[in-house]
Amino acid sequence: MDFNLTETQEMLKKVAADFVKAEVPAHQMTQWYKNKQTYQPRLVKKAAELGWLGMMLPEEYGGAGVSTMDCAVVFEELGRGPVPGPLFTSGILSAQMIFEAGTEDQRKTLLPTLCKGESIVVPAITDQAAYWGPQAVETRLSKTPSGYLMSGTKRFVFDAEAATSFLCAALTEEGKVVFALVDRNSRGVSITPHVGFFVSVAEVRFDKVVVSPDQLLGPSGASWATLEAALDKSLPILSAYQVGATQEVFDITCEYTRTRVVFGQPIGRFQRVQDHCVDISIHLDQARWATYETIWRIDSGMPARAAVHEAKAVASDGYYHGTNYAHMVWAGPGTDYSHPMMAHSVLAHTLYQYLGTPGHHKRLMMDALYPRAI
Amino acid sequence: MDFNVSADPPHVVEFRKEVATWMAEQFKGHEHLRWSASWSTREDAEEYKFRRGLAEKLGAKGWLFPIYPKKYGGADLTVDHQMVLETELFKYGLNLSHVFYTLARIVAPVLIRWGSDEQKAEFLPPITRAQICVWQVLTEPHGGSDIANCQTKAIRDGDHYIVNGQKTMVGHHLPPDYLWTLVCTNPQGKRHENLAWLHIPANLPGVEIQHMYMMMGIKNTVFFDNVRVPAKYLIGGENNGWKVASTHMELEHGGDGRIAADPLVERVIEYCRNTHIDGKPIMEDPRVRDLVADMMIELNTLRRFNQLIYWRRFAKKPHPYGGPQQRYYQRMLRLRNGERLQAIMGADALEQNLSVHEVVDFEYAVRTGPGQLHGGGTLDTDRLIFARRLGLGRPTTEKAPETD
């Protein structure tokens, strides 16, 4: 039993923390989130220079070959920004999918450019926003003499605007879910950013997009299980990012209780205000240690699927509820879109949905531990 | 990052085998008592006798407090050995903290921190060897959580203290040998500086104990009527009672840590697999699965909090708010689980005599919800301490008291 970070991890953490301070100052960050300009190419370029894109991949594919925990330490700090952009979608999830299921040729051509930030591959998974299982993949892949035509509408594509290509789930005529790489500029692809209480999300429409057989992931398009395997490695990184974001919300909120004076005293002297901070801390630490234990399981080679779902559920719940409790402390000023709290609040709601709600992942956790008979 | 509680370093590999063999011998012929460890209401005389005997045997080997010196009833072993003992005992549903009804797990570390060498030599071995039972006796009728507002007086008279007053809602159904308590030595003195800590033999003339019949079982009122307590039972020196109390309360209020998990959810799943509605086990019902998922995740969280506190305590890493956070979370979790149990199993959750209860009474678990919201100080004091440790609304943060 040892809950220390290694020296390497402490170093990675410091580099990421310095990056957030220098590149994502709060006044700048709030404007990005307020104006829905969360894709900042400059940040992706710098992240690539620091080796964070695809960092869990082996070095031969452009990665840094680090452990899950090493990577999580970086993403936790990035969450404190919260640093926006496709660092997770492309650098972790797509990278893992291509690594898991791509042909050797695909790995060699796609992954190094992804790691350099020259290409940004964004997963486009379900058509319905309301569900994240394979049943919600409705985009069709119809056979043509030379390949396929892809048609469908992905309602919730995170980081779509940053994409140079999409890793798109589609149903074959045989009813199997496969994945295809589709260039953003292909004829028939249109991207419509969503307006609402979420951020970095767009609807991506594929209208009879021509797909050649070599655009399929792997020799035959891989399968839903490919995504599941990639999620086993990737979701804990997203959980760590949410832990970092919740930590930031907790820290700025505790500090506010010391400086904000009403009724003649700092608000932190009011026990009801204290209670909100206690609740944030519980959500924060619940998420932190669920995430770390999951990552420890992965890095130790133990079965981790149930833990992965548990950590995603708890981390999304934690960021969401932690932010809501923080709103109780911040009151009016925290609801101004120019305030860091609003960036967190909008992002917490977005990540609560992204790749499945806490309820969805709790059910997957139960199914992994106690499979249903039917 | 390493959550493994059984990754034995080389120097304890043989020790684990020794403990496993020894425990198996102790349970020979008593296998049916394997899970008799919980402080539930099901325990009968046979179970109590067995557990008490087992505690004495563990104590005789120094295994209840393995990291303490032999002269204090320990075994001069390492924290790694202690973890071996914890994990091997847990295979029988036991852990070092609760082999039988005594508060040794808190009293002994406080004595180690605040007792004089003579006091440690005299008082510790009977406690650490499980030969005696100690109650903590802190709450007063009008004080509640405000234990510094202590009205039980201990006035010095030569080499004795004359103790008068009353403590309430303390102890349990089995009689104590010692009363571990806070008293006021100077009624006119400044708050927090007028207190002393006494380790009072329960058989002194003037001590009277009356049972109280309460939600969590039997508690007691203890009356002190001109009890003459020899001054050698003063722990931590004159007017230093609040510091001793602070160490005590840090350990009581979540700061002690634990590496064993709560077996409740496994029992619930067993129940759900064995209970059929419309020909199907209720474990197949999505509504039930959602409830079990929440119960499981929160119990996992509690296990992780306990494990982290345990590690920080013995690795001497500061963890200012870990104790109050754990305690507040644990209490609210029990309350939520009480409701979940009822939602899953209906009135079976309120029944004391179901044969499925091998490890825990579901009824006990439900009753524990509202029943243990306040023991040792209310939920609100947990959050109050938490706020001070974080420095909410304050320029400085309060440190956690020292615990050994």
Side-chain angles (χ1 to χ4, degrees), chain A residues 89-153:
Chain A
T89 40
S90 181
I92 303 293
L93 183 53
S94 290
Q96 287 301 324
M97 286 189 70
I98 296 166
F99 178 66
E100 295 278 342
T103 61
E104 192 54 27
D105 190 44
Q106 284 171 332
R107 288 176 171 192
K108 283 198 173 129
T109 51
L110 297 171
L111 291 175
T113 56
L114 181 153
C115 291
K116 286 185 198 135
E118 291 163 4
S119 67
I120 294 171
V121 185
V122 169
I125 303 166
T126 54
D127 292 55
Q128 298 287 346
Y131 192 62
W132 285 84
Q135 300 88 336
V137 175
E138 294 168 359
T139 292
R140 298 269 163 187
L141 208 53
S142 346
K143 267 196 183 118
T144 62
S146 59
Y148 306 93
L149 284 180
M150 182 190 277
S151 287
T153 306

Side-chain angles (χ1 to χ4, degrees), chain B residues 283-345:
Chain B
M283 194 60 192
E284 298 286 314
D285 177 348
R287 187 189 64 87
V288 168
R289 293 171 77 86
D290 287 350
L291 288 161
V292 171
D294 284 333
M295 184 179 275
M296 182 184 299
I297 287 174
E298 293 191 358
L299 286 169
N300 282 344
T301 295
L302 182 63
R303 170 179 55 76
R304 289 186 279 256
F305 281 3
N306 282 333
Q307 207 181 323
L308 181 66
I309 291 168
Y310 186 95
W311 176 77
R312 282 182 169 152
R313 178 181 173 198
F314 291 106
K316 306 277 179 210
K317 307 270 180 191
H319 188 26
Y321 64 83
Q325 182 192 49
Q326 182 273 359
R327 196 155 182 262
Y328 174 68
Y329 184 78
Q330 178 186 46
R331 291 166 155 195
M332 294 306 289
L333 158 62
R334 284 173 172 163
L335 199 58
R336 290 190 292 270
N337 278 350
E339 186 179 0
R340 289 174 188 138
L341 286 171
Q342 293 198 70
I344 292 168
M345 57 186 72

Side-chain angles (χ1 to χ4, degrees), chain B residues 82-314:
Chain B
Q82 180 170 288
M83 285 173 60
V84 167
L85 282 159
E86 292 277 13
T87 46
E88 287 301 318
L89 260 67
F90 186 66
K91 292 177 182 166
Y92 296 89
L94 298 161
N95 59 67
L96 290 177
S97 299
H98 288 299
V99 182
F100 82 108
Y101 298 82
T102 175
L103 214 66
R105 73 185 171 98
I106 299 176
V107 175
V110 179
L111 269 171
I112 289 274
R113 173 66 187 83
W114 293 105
S116 66
D117 288 347
E118 296 76 25
Q119 287 175 326
K120 288 184 208 174
E122 182 179 348
F123 303 154
L124 272 173
I127 293 173
T128 52
R129 291 180 185 145
Q131 291 157 349
I132 62 168
C133 167
V134 186
W135 286 4
Q136 78 169 36
V137 172
L138 298 176
T139 303
E140 297 192 350
H142 301 290
S145 294
D146 181 12
I147 66 159
N149 179 27
C150 178
Q151 302 295 308
T152 297
K153 313 252 182 323
I155 305 302
R156 185 91 184 210
D157 179 26
D159 55 1
H160 283 73
Y161 286 92
I162 314 293
V163 180
N164 279 289
Q166 181 186 346
K167 302 278 178 177
T168 193
M169 296 183 278
V170 297
H172 41 71
H173 61 298
L174 296 161
D177 298 300
Y178 280 84
L179 304 166
W180 178 248
T181 191
L182 187 67
V183 291
C184 175
T185 43
N186 177 8
Q188 275 74 50
K190 208 172 149 202
R191 183 176 160 91
H192 292 137
E193 293 171 15
N194 59 346
L195 303 170
W197 198 277
L198 291 176
H199 182 50
I200 303 177
N203 60 2
L204 290 179
V207 173
E208 195 196 322
I209 297 174
Q210 282 181 6
H211 278 348
M212 304 167 76
Y213 298 88
M214 304 187 76
M215 193 175 201
M216 295 316 300
I218 289 173
K219 293 288 215 176
N220 306 270
T221 295
V222 180
F223 298 95
F224 298 94
D225 181 12
N226 284 311
V227 179
R228 288 185 68 82
V229 180
K232 72 169 185 178
Y233 291 110
L234 173 73
I235 310 295
E238 291 276 351
N239 300 324
N240 204 32
W242 188 247
K243 284 196 182 151
V244 183
S246 298
T247 301
H248 176 100
M249 286 187 292
E250 183 62 15
L251 290 166
E252 186 195 0
H253 296 181
D256 59 342
R258 190 157 302 185
I259 53 176
D262 187 330
L264 176 67
V265 80
E266 290 159 35
R267 294 298 122 184
V268 173
I269 287 162
E270 184 185 318
Y271 175 95
C272 293
R273 283 175 162 165
N274 293 335
T275 305
H276 291 69
I277 308 277
D278 197 18
K280 282 191 305 231
I282 61 171
M283 194 60 192
E284 298 286 314
D285 177 348
R287 187 189 64 87
V288 168
R289 293 171 77 86
D290 287 350
L291 288 161
V292 171
D294 284 333
M295 184 179 275
M296 182 184 299
I297 287 174
E298 293 191 358
L299 286 169
N300 282 344
T301 295
L302 182 63
R303 170 179 55 76
R304 289 186 279 256
F305 281 3
N306 282 333
Q307 207 181 323
L308 181 66
I309 291 168
Y310 186 95
W311 176 77
R312 282 182 169 152
R313 178 181 173 198
F314 291 106

